[in-house]
Amino acid sequence: MFDGLKDKLNGFREDVEESAEEAEPVDAESDVDEASRVGDTDDVGDTDPSTFQRAKAFATGRIIIEEEDLEEPLWDLEMALLESDVEMSVAERILDSVRETMLGESRKQVETTGELVEEALHDALLEVIAVGQFDFEARIAEAEKPVTIVFTGVNGVGKTTSIAKLSEWLADRGYSSVLANGDTYRAGANEQIREHAERLDRELISHEQGGDPAAVIYDAVEYAAANDVDVVLGDTAGRLHTSDDLMAQLEKIDRVVDPDMTLFVDEAVAGQDAVNRAREFDDAAAIDGAILTKADADSSGGAAISVAYVTGKPILFLGTGQEYDDLRRFDPEALVDSLLGEA
């Protein structure tokens, strides 16, 4: 997963190591001796102050990372991030963080520049990936029941399947759930979600095609309250922010049902499109978090890197396969470790 991005990050680490090694002063001890004899770096012939500082650090067993060491590798990293569908502002934030962390940093010769790069990348990536994270299961446990979760997103990204997967994820942790088909306009929507409900042995609340989505999810909440069901999982019609009638439906669901969470679903492989849609849906519907499907098929990793930062709302789950148990709780620290080859 995200192997392409992992390779690009490893390439940046190697580039900085090579650049720093090439910049190490050859006549370090003589430069320092001359500077010490004269007593002022300005009197050391044509010795540049930065060269003197490098020489002094090198002679005392340390190497200083300078702007020139990072300039070309950072440019290459920016291009690599953008090619991996990382959103521009996110790429810029990562670069700024790496630069701020590493400039003027010194390392002992017994260490490697790569270790400094890895630490800087780790912190920069975690900063953008971990935005808004919260303990999803704890929120379910602590909330008044039934907990109502509404799912939004465009058609064809695995929204309905993600609902079924989350139902199974909840069941594995002892929580009961009921499914509600608020996608009342798409032909075949009832059949699709009913097939999942039957396979999982879950109750499904649905109305006739063309019915009021808010009424469907409201009925599901009433059913859950009457039958001690813990969680209501409500599907909605696939919509774009430009579809005024569909957005009005979502606003009515919010008004009538007042869901505890609204989750945005999109494909990790959609890259920049997923990032843009996440921003648009958050502007329109104030999402609480995201689920990225097909993460197992995504080499670039751009959506996983960018969605939380551009929306301020966390990625909560990754879909990693076709089975109902192929839903993984999103762990920013584990993802960063994986990208940097630590896991």
Side-chain angles (χ1 to χ4, degrees):
M1 187 167 62
F2 311 141
D3 288 341
L5 180 57
K6 182 175 181 177
D7 290 342
K8 291 179 172 65
L9 293 173
N10 187 58
F12 171 71
R13 178 168 45 197
E14 293 173 352
D15 288 346
V16 177
E17 286 184 291
E18 180 178 346
S19 180
E21 288 171 2
E22 290 175 352
E24 290 178 5
V26 176
D27 298 322
E29 293 186 6
S30 62
D31 286 342
V32 173
D33 288 343
E34 177 67 11
S36 300
R37 182 178 62 78
V38 176
D40 192 332
T41 60
D42 293 336
D43 297 328
V44 189
D46 294 328
T47 303
D48 181 85
S50 64
T51 301
F52 171 77
Q53 292 298 328
R54 280 182 177 274
K56 184 177 180 181
F58 187 83
T60 55
R62 306 192 74 85
I63 296 297
I64 295 177
I65 306 297
E66 299 285 359
E67 178 75 45
E68 62 201 50
D69 301 327
L70 297 177
E71 184 175 0
E72 185 172 346
L74 280 174
W75 169 258
D76 291 340
L77 177 61
E78 181 176 13
M79 293 302 100
L81 290 172
L82 296 178
E83 288 169 3
S84 295
D85 291 326
V86 175
E87 200 270 344
M88 176 68 79
S89 67
V90 181
E92 290 175 348
R93 180 58 207 150
I94 292 171
L95 295 174
D96 288 345
S97 181
V98 170
R99 185 183 289 107
E100 291 166 7
T101 299
M102 295 199 66
L103 276 185
E105 184 70 17
S106 65
R107 67 163 175 83
K108 294 179 181 178
Q109 292 173 22
V110 295
E111 298 170 346
T112 67
T113 306
E115 288 173 330
L116 287 179
V117 177
E118 189 166 308
E119 181 179 349
L121 279 173
H122 177 280
D123 293 347
L125 290 167
L126 193 62
E127 177 188 3
V128 299
I129 293 173
V131 170
Q133 278 293 319
F134 61 85
D135 189 328
F136 180 84
E137 186 175 356
R139 185 169 292 191
I140 296 294
E142 295 165 4
E144 182 179 351
K145 305 300 185 292
V147 179
T148 304
I149 304 175
V150 170
F151 294 74
T152 67
V154 298
N155 281 330
V157 298
K159 181 159 49 72
T160 305
T161 303
S162 294
I163 290 172
K165 288 181 177 181
L166 186 57
S167 177
E168 189 71 352
W169 187 92
L170 289 166
D172 289 342
R173 288 154 183 80
Y175 298 101
S176 57
S177 61
V178 58
L179 311 187
N181 181 35
D183 185 359
T184 60
Y185 288 86
R186 180 169 61 91
N190 263 342
E191 290 74 14
Q192 182 185 9
I193 196 169
R194 176 171 287 108
E195 183 177 348
H196 289 304
E198 290 175 352
R199 287 179 179 177
L200 295 170
D201 193 25
R202 306 285 191 269
E203 187 68 28
L204 171 66
I205 306 300
S206 62
H207 290 185
E208 294 297 321
Q209 185 172 339
D212 182 354
V216 178
I217 298 176
Y218 179 85
D219 287 352
V221 174
E222 293 288 292
Y223 173 88
N227 293 275
D228 295 323
V229 176
D230 297 314
V231 183
V232 175
L233 302 174
D235 201 357
T236 63
R239 64 197 75 226
L240 293 170
H241 74 296
T242 53
S243 302
D244 293 339
D245 56 337
L246 293 177
M247 293 313 303
Q249 289 177 17
L250 196 57
E251 291 170 3
K252 184 176 181 181
I253 291 171
D254 287 343
R255 187 170 62 252
V256 172
V257 179
D258 189 22
D260 296 281
M261 280 184 265
T262 298
L263 301 186
F264 168 76
V265 182
D266 212 323
E267 296 175 334
V269 293
Q272 188 65 49
D273 287 341
V275 177
N276 292 337
R277 288 193 290 255
R279 181 192 286 112
E280 293 163 354
F281 272 81
D282 186 50
D283 289 344
I287 66 173
D288 295 284
I291 297 175
L292 293 181
T293 64
K294 299 184 180 179
D296 54 315
D298 182 24
S299 174
S300 68
I305 296 293
S306 306
V307 164
Y309 188 79
V310 301
T311 63
K313 309 298 172 56
I315 298 171
L316 295 173
F317 292 93
L318 296 177
T320 58
Q322 302 301 313
E323 304 301 323
Y324 288 127
D325 59 357
D326 289 331
L327 188 71
R328 181 189 305 177
R329 184 73 175 90
F330 185 70
D331 184 340
E333 185 81 47
L335 175 59
V336 172
D337 288 348
S338 175
L339 289 173
L340 298 179
E342 300 170 19

